[in-house]
Amino acid sequence: MLAREVFGPLGGIVEVGAVNATGSWNLSEVSVGDFLADRSEDVERLLDGIRSVARFSEEAMAIVDELGRFRDHEVPAAFLLLWSAGVTGVSQPLEKLEEPEVVRRMCRMAADLQLTLFLQALVTAALAAGTEAGRGAARIVETLGVASSLADRTGGSAPGLVFRVWRVAHLPGILRVGSGAPEQGKAGFRAYDQALEHLLETR
């Protein structure tokens, strides 16, 4: 379950990155295969970072192949609509959703959302694996940097921004009184929050 939560958002990150890489946001020009082939070293660094922080087994790491995140495939507007949580509007005609400006907007939203979900899943997996915040935070920052670069090489998605969105979107619900989260878990999230903040503010 933890592995699927970590690898799930990677689908959006990869697809958004492939669309952004066109520079035209014309979906007919998107090639996930070419995009990943040009960034094979980044993909290896990303997977190595996930393995290190979450301490996933080989079986868990194989889930990324089962999900097909790093295989060549088309990226229709419907996928971007899904990754961006339908903020653009699900009732719009397909032709409208395929317009480059709309595609670009969906990509921005999808990158913010999926990177934030990726960070939440990675911190949760690190805590479940017993990876201490002082060691795990550094690898998470490195891994998040690779993922952000995959999503948008222009810097539109940056680890510091993703961290701030994550802290606002996820931590209040976990840390509030009566949330149901165990005190040990709350302490772990607080430790990662502080460690990540320190690392990202000193960059």
Side-chain angles (χ1 to χ4, degrees):
M1 180 65 73
L2 286 174
R4 288 185 179 277
E5 290 180 359
V6 170
F7 294 132
L10 285 182
I13 291 167
V14 167
E15 290 180 2
V16 165
V19 176
N20 281 332
T22 66
S24 67
W25 294 275
N26 185 334
L27 295 179
S28 67
E29 298 177 10
V30 177
S31 173
V32 174
D34 289 348
F35 173 76
L36 291 173
D38 291 341
R39 294 160 180 81
S40 58
E41 292 185 6
D42 287 341
V43 171
E44 285 303 314
R45 286 174 56 212
L46 180 69
L47 294 177
D48 185 60
I50 292 171
R51 186 184 298 110
S52 172
V53 169
R55 300 180 186 175
F56 285 155
S57 65
E58 290 301 318
E59 290 78 11
M61 291 300 296
I63 290 174
V64 73
D65 292 323
E66 293 177 18
L67 295 174
R69 296 302 183 233
F70 298 116
R71 296 181 199 148
D72 191 25
H73 58 274
E74 293 184 356
V75 184
F79 284 14
L80 297 177
L81 190 66
L82 175 66
W83 295 127
S84 60
V87 169
T88 302
V90 297
S91 61
Q92 296 189 58
L94 182 60
E95 314 85 73
K96 179 68 175 177
L97 291 175
E98 292 177 341
E99 292 179 2
E101 185 52 41
V102 178
V103 169
R104 187 176 187 181
R105 186 166 183 264
M106 287 194 291
C107 283
R108 289 195 200 103
M109 174 61 188
D112 289 344
L113 178 57
Q114 299 308 319
L115 284 165
T116 302
L117 292 172
F118 176 66
L119 176 55
Q120 169 65 8
L122 205 52
V123 172
T124 301
L127 289 171
T131 305
E132 188 267 329
R135 185 181 76 83
R139 287 309 303 267
I140 286 178
V141 168
E142 179 186 348
T143 305
L144 186 60
V146 176
S148 298
S149 181
L150 282 174
D152 185 355
R153 279 202 182 276
T154 68
S157 298
L161 173 62
V162 176
F163 165 71
R164 290 193 296 274
V165 174
W166 167 75
R167 182 160 57 181
V168 172
H170 291 275
L171 287 190
I174 295 170
L175 301 179
R176 68 176 175 79
V177 175
S179 70
E183 289 304 316
Q184 183 179 1
K186 289 182 178 181
F189 274 102
R190 286 193 177 98
Y192 266 94
D193 172 46
Q194 293 173 9
L196 290 168
E197 180 182 55
H198 173 73
L199 288 170
L200 291 166
E201 285 191 350
T202 54
R203 289 192 159 208

